Amino acid sequence: MMKISFNNHEQMISSVEELGIAIDRFDREQMFELWIFTHDGPSMMMLRNGTNAWLMYLRHNDGDSGFRSSGDSGLTGVAEYTLGNGQADEYPLAWCINVEQCYKAISFFFVNDGEKPSWIKWLE
């Protein structure tokens, strides 16, 4: 079982089927902040704005700067994201990866007890 926070609304997810249903529901939104938390260890965050999405992976929750996804390093510019608390932030387009890859990474994190997906290019 893991806790999910979608735009600051928390719920517990107990099965991969339940996670799939939740992801289908989340996918209807074009802009969001999504967190998934293990009980007392790693967490992963996804920010989405339309086709732009990126991930952050934290090993622990007490000051870990963690890792962020890296997409096409040749992309310039930024995309604006609205955090769950309503704050608007901008992040480089070069951090973005495919939205479906983000969902796959969230599912992998859930199934593998907080493991960091190795197929994502991560930068510290």
Side-chain angles (χ1 to χ4, degrees):
M1 183 174 289
M2 288 191 194
K3 180 172 67 172
I4 293 269
S5 175
F6 181 77
N7 288 335
N8 281 357
H9 294 92
E10 294 182 358
Q11 70 180 88
M12 297 302 290
I13 301 287
S14 58
S15 70
V16 71
E17 292 81 12
E18 196 175 338
L19 178 62
I21 291 167
I23 287 174
D24 287 346
R25 188 175 69 248
F26 303 154
D27 190 51
R28 292 185 213 134
E29 301 292 326
Q30 289 297 301
M31 191 176 292
F32 61 75
E33 176 184 21
L34 171 65
W35 283 91
I36 184 167
F37 304 91
T38 61
H39 175 66
D40 60 354
S43 57
M44 185 178 290
M45 184 268 311
M46 174 185 175
L47 283 180
R48 177 182 182 187
N49 180 351
T51 59
N52 299 312
W54 64 278
L55 298 168
M56 180 171 57
Y57 179 88
L58 301 175
R59 296 163 284 215
H60 48 82
N61 292 324
D62 57 350
D64 182 20
S65 59
F67 301 86
R68 63 154 175 87
S69 59
S70 178
D72 181 351
S73 61
L75 282 177
T76 59
V78 296
E80 186 174 291
Y81 300 89
T82 301
L83 306 183
N85 64 6
Q87 176 181 322
D89 283 349
E90 292 181 340
Y91 295 98
L93 290 172
W95 294 10
C96 294
I97 60 174
N98 181 281
V99 172
E100 289 302 318
Q101 260 195 322
C102 290
Y103 293 146
K104 182 179 173 187
I106 296 287
S107 298
F108 179 90
F109 180 94
F110 180 85
V111 169
N112 293 284
D113 233 8
E115 190 175 323
K116 183 173 63 169
S118 61
W119 71 87
I120 302 290
K121 182 179 175 185
W122 297 101
L123 295 177
E124 242 180 301

